[in-house]
Amino acid sequence: MTIAASPSAGEEWKAYWPLVLATSVGFSFHSVATYSLGLFMAPLSNEFGWSRAQISAGLSIAALLAIPLSPLVGAMIDRWGSRRLAIPGLVLTSLAIAGFGLANGSTTQWLGLWTLYALLSLGIKSTMWTAAVSSVFSTSRGMALAVTLSGTAVAQILSPPITHWLIDSYGWRAAFAWLAVGWGVPALVLCVLFLYDAHDQRREAVKAGKATEMPALPGLSVPEALRSLPLWQVAGATLIMMILTIGFIVHQVPILTEAGVSRQSASWLASLAGVAGIIGKLVTGFLLDRFRANWIGGITMGMAAMSFVLLLEAFRSPSTIIAAMVVIGYSSGCKLQICAYLTSRYGGMKNFGKIFGVMSSLIAVGAGVGPILAGAVHDLAGSYTPLVIAGIPLSLIAGLLLLGLGAYPKWDTATVKPAA
């Protein structure tokens, strides 16, 4: 029996909007540690005398540990689904974030806390949420991914001012605990109620006797994916943008204060970039479902070059700083969305967890290198200017890699065996 035609976008959203809500909030919690760390740099440096590179090294360790482990997590998603991993992952990640408040001035202990966070947070990384949404959305996959991954932009908007207020009101130690509980618990409740993907549907169908075997999802095998030039182009472009944007985002408050912006204004400008990121995700999701994704992705990635130009001293002014934060928020906010969408289209859904797990390993390299590289640039040059200058050509290269992608593969139609 052949699978029925794909449902309309409206039918997909009517059936699965609670799932998208849960994945969006869950992914926002994964981003809290990244987007709040810049606000903790000054208190940690003042209390312990740590350099910015030392403080940023924790994120780098977390990202580097994800390199060998992301494909394993992807394989577990392909086998068991997102729900069975995400729910315990949210609980453990909350405990890990609260644990940062136990820092005692030892860099070894600080890096150990980040190592623990890296291991416990594997259950709530981007692969978890994108796999869940991609497994049930087809017609409106671009917009569904946009809303899900807007969770990170929500974290970018809310984390800086909330963290700034928590640190000023309760101190940096209590701020870690409040972020863990105040963000982790709502995410956990939503996922317990609504996080059901195609794997859960399969188990329910088998229990109900509606099918003995669910559809074989179309797509590339893992060896075929590793030989796919389009997938490597997607990975390369994403890697470049991760290095640039994560490095910039973690250090955005110090970068802006170096440019003459007050610390409080810098935290609100960071939130403005988050708003632009949400708009960028939604606009990009709308466009991905209607036009060639490589053109949409290439132009969006390349736009980031404009923001770095506007931050150069020769062009810098209050208005250009605001424009730069809007542009970089827009383009950087779409990088994971574009990567996930193109991976699902050029690699298929047969082994999406494994393929995107490998992709996530490369993403983790960029996320690990970016913050510590930005910190090292400042420590060596005494300024973030070299980082800003390098962002111009690298953003253009990332855009060109996506513009060079060919047409989507044409997958065979999957079939399903009805119950006896």
mmCIF file of all heavy atoms in Angstrom, residues 294-320:
data_model
loop_
_atom_site.group_PDB
_atom_site.id
_atom_site.type_symbol
_atom_site.label_atom_id
_atom_site.label_comp_id
_atom_site.label_asym_id
_atom_site.label_seq_id
_atom_site.Cartn_x
_atom_site.Cartn_y
_atom_site.Cartn_z
ATOM 1 N N ASN A 294 19.160 26.750 -1.621
ATOM 2 C CA ASN A 294 20.573 27.137 -1.682
ATOM 3 C C ASN A 294 20.718 28.642 -1.913
ATOM 4 O O ASN A 294 21.628 29.284 -1.369
ATOM 5 C CB ASN A 294 21.306 26.338 -2.762
ATOM 6 C CG ASN A 294 20.771 26.606 -4.162
ATOM 7 O OD1 ASN A 294 19.563 26.644 -4.376
ATOM 8 N ND2 ASN A 294 21.660 26.788 -5.116
ATOM 9 N N TRP A 295 19.814 29.238 -2.705
ATOM 10 C CA TRP A 295 19.868 30.674 -2.920
ATOM 11 C C TRP A 295 19.481 31.432 -1.646
ATOM 12 O O TRP A 295 20.124 32.422 -1.281
ATOM 13 C CB TRP A 295 18.950 31.070 -4.074
ATOM 14 C CG TRP A 295 19.538 30.737 -5.404
ATOM 15 C CD1 TRP A 295 19.329 29.612 -6.136
ATOM 16 C CD2 TRP A 295 20.468 31.534 -6.151
ATOM 17 N NE1 TRP A 295 20.060 29.641 -7.301
ATOM 18 C CE2 TRP A 295 20.772 30.823 -7.342
ATOM 19 C CE3 TRP A 295 21.063 32.769 -5.938
ATOM 20 C CZ2 TRP A 295 21.643 31.313 -8.297
ATOM 21 C CZ3 TRP A 295 21.939 33.256 -6.901
ATOM 22 C CH2 TRP A 295 22.222 32.533 -8.070
ATOM 23 N N ILE A 296 18.448 30.953 -0.998
ATOM 24 C CA ILE A 296 18.026 31.597 0.249
ATOM 25 C C ILE A 296 19.147 31.505 1.288
ATOM 26 O O ILE A 296 19.495 32.495 1.955
ATOM 27 C CB ILE A 296 16.744 30.941 0.795
ATOM 28 C CG1 ILE A 296 15.618 30.988 -0.255
ATOM 29 C CG2 ILE A 296 16.307 31.623 2.087
ATOM 30 C CD1 ILE A 296 15.298 32.368 -0.753
ATOM 31 N N GLY A 297 19.729 30.325 1.425
ATOM 32 C CA GLY A 297 20.795 30.135 2.397
ATOM 33 C C GLY A 297 22.047 30.922 2.063
ATOM 34 O O GLY A 297 22.671 31.523 2.947
ATOM 35 N N GLY A 298 22.427 30.936 0.786
ATOM 36 C CA GLY A 298 23.641 31.633 0.380
ATOM 37 C C GLY A 298 23.557 33.132 0.618
ATOM 38 O O GLY A 298 24.494 33.751 1.130
ATOM 39 N N ILE A 299 22.427 33.715 0.252
ATOM 40 C CA ILE A 299 22.247 35.160 0.452
ATOM 41 C C ILE A 299 22.206 35.497 1.934
ATOM 42 O O ILE A 299 22.810 36.477 2.386
ATOM 43 C CB ILE A 299 20.964 35.637 -0.258
ATOM 44 C CG1 ILE A 299 21.123 35.502 -1.779
ATOM 45 C CG2 ILE A 299 20.645 37.076 0.116
ATOM 46 C CD1 ILE A 299 19.847 35.732 -2.558
ATOM 47 N N THR A 300 21.517 34.652 2.719
ATOM 48 C CA THR A 300 21.397 34.914 4.150
ATOM 49 C C THR A 300 22.752 34.848 4.837
ATOM 50 O O THR A 300 23.092 35.697 5.680
ATOM 51 C CB THR A 300 20.432 33.906 4.795
ATOM 52 O OG1 THR A 300 19.164 33.985 4.136
ATOM 53 C CG2 THR A 300 20.242 34.201 6.266
ATOM 54 N N MET A 301 23.549 33.826 4.498
ATOM 55 C CA MET A 301 24.883 33.707 5.103
ATOM 56 C C MET A 301 25.777 34.877 4.698
ATOM 57 O O MET A 301 26.497 35.453 5.523
ATOM 58 C CB MET A 301 25.535 32.392 4.676
ATOM 59 C CG MET A 301 24.829 31.135 5.134
ATOM 60 S SD MET A 301 25.039 30.790 6.876
ATOM 61 C CE MET A 301 24.471 29.095 6.947
ATOM 62 N N GLY A 302 25.739 35.230 3.414
ATOM 63 C CA GLY A 302 26.599 36.293 2.922
ATOM 64 C C GLY A 302 26.277 37.657 3.507
ATOM 65 O O GLY A 302 27.149 38.533 3.587
ATOM 66 N N MET A 303 25.020 37.844 3.934
ATOM 67 C CA MET A 303 24.614 39.131 4.517
ATOM 68 C C MET A 303 25.417 39.493 5.758
ATOM 69 O O MET A 303 25.570 40.674 6.090
ATOM 70 C CB MET A 303 23.124 39.095 4.880
ATOM 71 C CG MET A 303 22.165 39.279 3.717
ATOM 72 S SD MET A 303 20.462 38.979 4.248
ATOM 73 C CE MET A 303 20.354 40.064 5.672
ATOM 74 N N ALA A 304 25.928 38.477 6.459
ATOM 75 C CA ALA A 304 26.655 38.754 7.703
ATOM 76 C C ALA A 304 27.876 39.629 7.458
ATOM 77 O O ALA A 304 28.308 40.360 8.364
ATOM 78 C CB ALA A 304 27.076 37.443 8.363
ATOM 79 N N ALA A 305 28.443 39.567 6.242
ATOM 80 C CA ALA A 305 29.612 40.393 5.926
ATOM 81 C C ALA A 305 29.298 41.874 6.125
ATOM 82 O O ALA A 305 30.160 42.650 6.570
ATOM 83 C CB ALA A 305 30.075 40.126 4.498
ATOM 84 N N MET A 306 28.065 42.274 5.794
ATOM 85 C CA MET A 306 27.679 43.677 5.937
ATOM 86 C C MET A 306 27.747 44.122 7.389
ATOM 87 O O MET A 306 28.176 45.244 7.689
ATOM 88 C CB MET A 306 26.257 43.876 5.398
ATOM 89 C CG MET A 306 25.778 45.322 5.436
ATOM 90 S SD MET A 306 24.008 45.443 5.002
ATOM 91 C CE MET A 306 23.994 44.619 3.412
ATOM 92 N N SER A 307 27.354 43.246 8.314
ATOM 93 C CA SER A 307 27.353 43.624 9.726
ATOM 94 C C SER A 307 28.771 43.860 10.232
ATOM 95 O O SER A 307 29.020 44.784 11.017
ATOM 96 C CB SER A 307 26.663 42.549 10.560
ATOM 97 O OG SER A 307 27.380 41.335 10.502
ATOM 98 N N PHE A 308 29.715 43.027 9.786
ATOM 99 C CA PHE A 308 31.099 43.209 10.224
ATOM 100 C C PHE A 308 31.691 44.500 9.645
ATOM 101 O O PHE A 308 32.485 45.168 10.304
ATOM 102 C CB PHE A 308 31.935 41.993 9.826
ATOM 103 C CG PHE A 308 31.591 40.748 10.598
ATOM 104 C CD1 PHE A 308 30.962 39.673 9.974
ATOM 105 C CD2 PHE A 308 31.881 40.653 11.951
ATOM 106 C CE1 PHE A 308 30.640 38.528 10.684
ATOM 107 C CE2 PHE A 308 31.558 39.512 12.671
ATOM 108 C CZ PHE A 308 30.935 38.447 12.035
ATOM 109 N N VAL A 309 31.298 44.855 8.423
ATOM 110 C CA VAL A 309 31.756 46.121 7.841
ATOM 111 C C VAL A 309 31.258 47.291 8.685
ATOM 112 O O VAL A 309 32.008 48.237 8.983
ATOM 113 C CB VAL A 309 31.268 46.251 6.382
ATOM 114 C CG1 VAL A 309 31.523 47.661 5.854
ATOM 115 C CG2 VAL A 309 31.958 45.233 5.493
ATOM 116 N N LEU A 310 30.001 47.245 9.101
ATOM 117 C CA LEU A 310 29.410 48.349 9.849
ATOM 118 C C LEU A 310 30.017 48.508 11.248
ATOM 119 O O LEU A 310 29.912 49.570 11.854
ATOM 120 C CB LEU A 310 27.902 48.142 9.974
ATOM 121 C CG LEU A 310 27.108 48.211 8.665
ATOM 122 C CD1 LEU A 310 25.641 47.892 8.908
ATOM 123 C CD2 LEU A 310 27.256 49.575 8.010
ATOM 124 N N LEU A 311 30.667 47.449 11.757
ATOM 125 C CA LEU A 311 31.279 47.526 13.078
ATOM 126 C C LEU A 311 32.719 48.039 13.039
ATOM 127 O O LEU A 311 33.318 48.268 14.091
ATOM 128 C CB LEU A 311 31.241 46.153 13.765
ATOM 129 C CG LEU A 311 29.869 45.687 14.259
ATOM 130 C CD1 LEU A 311 29.939 44.261 14.759
ATOM 131 C CD2 LEU A 311 29.339 46.612 15.349
ATOM 132 N N LEU A 312 33.270 48.197 11.839
ATOM 133 C CA LEU A 312 34.618 48.755 11.729
ATOM 134 C C LEU A 312 34.606 50.221 12.163
ATOM 135 O O LEU A 312 33.622 50.940 11.962
ATOM 136 C CB LEU A 312 35.123 48.632 10.294
ATOM 137 C CG LEU A 312 35.391 47.204 9.789
ATOM 138 C CD1 LEU A 312 35.745 47.230 8.313
ATOM 139 C CD2 LEU A 312 36.505 46.546 10.596
ATOM 140 N N GLU A 313 35.714 50.661 12.726
ATOM 141 C CA GLU A 313 35.771 52.008 13.281
ATOM 142 C C GLU A 313 35.471 53.081 12.246
ATOM 143 O O GLU A 313 34.856 54.108 12.558
ATOM 144 C CB GLU A 313 37.155 52.255 13.888
ATOM 145 C CG GLU A 313 37.259 53.570 14.645
ATOM 146 C CD GLU A 313 38.576 53.725 15.358
ATOM 147 O OE1 GLU A 313 39.411 52.807 15.269
ATOM 148 O OE2 GLU A 313 38.780 54.775 16.009
ATOM 149 N N ALA A 314 35.864 52.838 10.987
ATOM 150 C CA ALA A 314 35.653 53.837 9.938
ATOM 151 C C ALA A 314 34.169 54.069 9.661
ATOM 152 O O ALA A 314 33.782 55.144 9.189
ATOM 153 C CB ALA A 314 36.362 53.409 8.658
ATOM 154 N N PHE A 315 33.333 53.064 9.922
ATOM 155 C CA PHE A 315 31.902 53.181 9.620
ATOM 156 C C PHE A 315 31.044 53.242 10.878
ATOM 157 O O PHE A 315 29.828 53.397 10.798
ATOM 158 C CB PHE A 315 31.447 51.980 8.774
ATOM 159 C CG PHE A 315 32.198 51.815 7.492
ATOM 160 C CD1 PHE A 315 33.276 50.944 7.411
ATOM 161 C CD2 PHE A 315 31.851 52.528 6.360
ATOM 162 C CE1 PHE A 315 33.978 50.787 6.226
ATOM 163 C CE2 PHE A 315 32.541 52.380 5.174
ATOM 164 C CZ PHE A 315 33.623 51.511 5.109
ATOM 165 N N ARG A 316 31.671 53.106 12.039
ATOM 166 C CA ARG A 316 30.935 52.909 13.273
ATOM 167 C C ARG A 316 30.291 54.199 13.776
ATOM 168 O O ARG A 316 30.930 55.252 13.827
ATOM 169 C CB ARG A 316 31.876 52.344 14.335
ATOM 170 C CG ARG A 316 31.164 51.693 15.501
ATOM 171 C CD ARG A 316 32.132 50.812 16.273
ATOM 172 N NE ARG A 316 33.286 51.566 16.771
ATOM 173 C CZ ARG A 316 34.495 51.054 16.933
ATOM 174 N NH1 ARG A 316 34.719 49.791 16.596
ATOM 175 N NH2 ARG A 316 35.476 51.783 17.414
ATOM 176 N N SER A 317 29.020 54.090 14.146
ATOM 177 C CA SER A 317 28.251 55.170 14.766
ATOM 178 C C SER A 317 27.109 54.497 15.507
ATOM 179 O O SER A 317 26.871 53.290 15.330
ATOM 180 C CB SER A 317 27.715 56.134 13.701
ATOM 181 O OG SER A 317 26.714 55.507 12.926
ATOM 182 N N PRO A 318 26.390 55.209 16.354
ATOM 183 C CA PRO A 318 25.268 54.561 17.048
ATOM 184 C C PRO A 318 24.283 53.881 16.100
ATOM 185 O O PRO A 318 23.817 52.767 16.365
ATOM 186 C CB PRO A 318 24.619 55.730 17.789
ATOM 187 C CG PRO A 318 25.745 56.668 18.065
ATOM 188 C CD PRO A 318 26.630 56.580 16.849
ATOM 189 N N SER A 319 23.973 54.533 14.977
ATOM 190 C CA SER A 319 23.003 53.945 14.047
ATOM 191 C C SER A 319 23.571 52.727 13.327
ATOM 192 O O SER A 319 22.869 51.731 13.116
ATOM 193 C CB SER A 319 22.549 54.994 13.026
ATOM 194 O OG SER A 319 23.660 55.500 12.299
ATOM 195 N N THR A 320 24.853 52.769 12.936
ATOM 196 C CA THR A 320 25.439 51.616 12.238
ATOM 197 C C THR A 320 25.637 50.437 13.181
ATOM 198 O O THR A 320 25.557 49.282 12.758
ATOM 199 C CB THR A 320 26.778 51.987 11.572
ATOM 200 O OG1 THR A 320 27.697 52.448 12.566
ATOM 201 C CG2 THR A 320 26.586 53.063 10.517
#
